[in-house]
Amino acid sequence: MGAEASGSGPALRELLREAETSLLECKVCFERFGHRQQRRPRNLPCGHVVCLACVAALAHPRTLALECPFCRRACRGCDTSDCLPVLHLLELLGSALRPGPAAHRVAPCGPGALTCHHAFGGWGTLVNPTGLALCPKTGRVLVVHDGKRRVKIFDSGGGCAHQFGEKGDAAQDIRFPLDITVTNDCHVVVTDAGDRSIKVFDFFGQIKLVIGGQFSLPWGVDTTPQNRVVVTDAEAGSLHLLEVDFPEGVLRRTERLQAHLCSPRGVAVSCLTGAIAVLERPLALGTGACSTTVKVFSANMQLMGQVDTFGLSLFFPSEITASAVTFDHQGNVIIADTSSQAVLCLGKPEEFPVLKPLITYGLSHPVALAFTKENALLVLDSAAHSIKVYKVDWA
């Protein structure tokens, strides 16, 4: 009986943490709901719940008209009402809740665990983001999304510093961005599925080069240590290397590095070794489901290691669907998993797979990853329309 009771403690704590993130938190501003005025949970007519402060921020100052940030149903601020179930749950849990806002934290682990220190973005600031990159010189964070201006640049504190890339049909516009990278000399490269091109901008948003007519569906993009660009073509099943004179806006050379990949999407280059990791998303035969394969090539394009969904399932208790890949500063391969809303370390390519969960809590739909120079891990959570910043907590 005592053993059974002691075993229920961790399960209850996990249930409480899940309630904090899933039920007791406004998904627009990521603050915990509360009884005080600005944090009170409000029902929208469509059934979604946001805090009163976000209702006020979203509503037109004169007409009070607003759109639900999740389903876009129109209503007015005065049509909202207190969400009594959430208020009752807050009262029921009371002191069992941790102090402070329910920040997106991983489940408590030992010293050295990755912990979410803060998040920025949110609905309206970002709309269905798809790609993430860091400027190697300034440390600023760049995201491509479905907003009116497709590229948004954030400063180190999470404030919007600049945005560019108009939504439109002109050659310099960005129709449907999939991924983004920043070169060593601070040029911005975007893959555009709308017109199947690659577009190069300077850091201020001036168009420098449009590379079209060479790709069936350009998808993932990253920068090599030699300041070249690698691009996956999901429809052609290929991986390409582009050598560009970025200041002059001239494409010098293209090279097809791989020609027989299965629907390659995400790609990452190790700054340490120059190795290239590619995510394949082939459609499983006879089903509508996609499996995933992670392949890692050396700098001279020799296959160093690979692992697929089945192989990963032998090491992890649930199905894994890799949605993003990057390298850490030690050369380990890191993937995002949308099936279990987690971030996992696969180890070094020559050791594949040595699976170690890094983040198992607080994510909804991770689609992109990046490490800062200070070794913080940035996770782009598309469902939350935000960037979450994870750091090692030695406390």
Side-chain angles (χ1 to χ4, degrees), residues 309 312-321 337 339-342 344:
T309 296
L312 290 172
S313 69
L314 301 177
F315 297 87
F316 201 65
S318 62
E319 179 184 353
I320 291 177
T321 305
D337 171 26
S339 292
S340 57
Q341 298 87 44
L344 311 170

Side-chain angles (χ1 to χ4, degrees), residues 52-339:
L52 181 59
C54 288
V55 170
L58 294 168
H60 189 280
R62 291 193 302 275
T63 66
L64 299 182
L66 62 89
E67 283 186 348
C68 171
F70 308 107
C71 68
R72 304 293 184 90
R73 178 174 167 180
C75 66
R76 299 177 67 213
C78 56
D79 296 332
T80 67
S81 60
D82 276 345
C83 182
L84 296 180
V86 172
L87 288 170
H88 290 160
L89 186 58
L90 284 167
E91 188 172 348
L92 179 66
L93 294 176
S95 61
L97 294 174
R98 290 172 294 173
H104 300 268
R105 304 177 68 85
V106 298
C109 301
L114 280 174
T115 302
C116 186
H117 279 236
H118 68 282
F120 56 91
W123 177 265
T125 301
L126 293 174
V127 181
N128 303 324
T130 55
L132 169 73
L134 281 167
C135 177
K137 289 188 176 180
T138 67
R140 290 189 166 181
V141 180
L142 288 83
V143 177
V144 285
H145 71 130
D146 197 28
K148 185 177 179 181
R149 294 184 178 178
R150 304 302 214 182
V151 179
K152 187 152 287 194
I153 303 177
F154 296 92
D155 59 31
S156 57
C160 181
H162 184 45
Q163 53 186 335
F164 63 84
E166 296 291 332
K167 177 180 180 179
D169 296 330
Q172 72 274 13
D173 294 337
I174 302 176
R175 299 184 186 181
F176 191 81
L178 291 177
D179 201 6
I180 185 171
T181 188
V182 183
T183 65
N184 301 333
D185 54 359
C186 297
H187 286 82
V188 180
V189 183
V190 177
T191 51
D192 189 345
D195 58 4
R196 301 171 185 259
S197 70
I198 295 168
K199 291 168 181 173
V200 181
F201 302 84
D202 65 22
F203 205 68
F204 302 101
Q206 296 300 310
I207 189 71
K208 301 289 290 187
L209 177 65
V210 177
I211 305 171
Q214 301 187 31
F215 303 99
S216 298
L217 182 58
W219 198 294
V221 63
D222 203 6
T223 304
T224 72
Q226 297 78 29
N227 208 36
R228 297 168 180 172
V229 172
V230 290
V231 181
T232 60
D233 190 325
E235 282 191 2
S238 53
L239 176 68
H240 301 261
L241 179 71
L242 309 181
E243 186 175 326
V244 178
D245 184 335
F246 291 104
E248 295 297 324
V250 176
L251 177 63
R252 297 296 186 191
R253 183 174 70 92
T254 65
E255 179 183 352
R256 188 168 60 181
L257 300 178
Q258 290 289 322
H260 302 290
L261 300 172
C262 295
S263 189
R265 296 190 182 185
V267 64
V269 181
S270 171
C271 294
L272 183 66
T273 65
I276 300 175
V278 178
L279 282 184
E280 293 181 316
R281 292 288 302 273
L283 191 66
L285 292 177
T287 72
C290 285
S291 60
T292 56
T293 301
V294 183
K295 290 184 177 179
V296 183
F297 301 90
S298 66
N300 58 4
M301 295 313 296
Q302 298 298 310
L303 183 64
M304 299 173 66
Q306 67 176 8
V307 63
D308 60 13
T309 296
F310 176 76
L312 290 172
S313 69
L314 301 177
F315 297 87
F316 201 65
S318 62
E319 179 184 353
I320 291 177
T321 305
S323 56
V325 64
T326 192
F327 288 90
D328 68 11
H329 295 310
Q330 289 74 46
N332 295 297
V333 178
I334 313 296
I335 63 168
D337 171 26
T338 53
S339 292

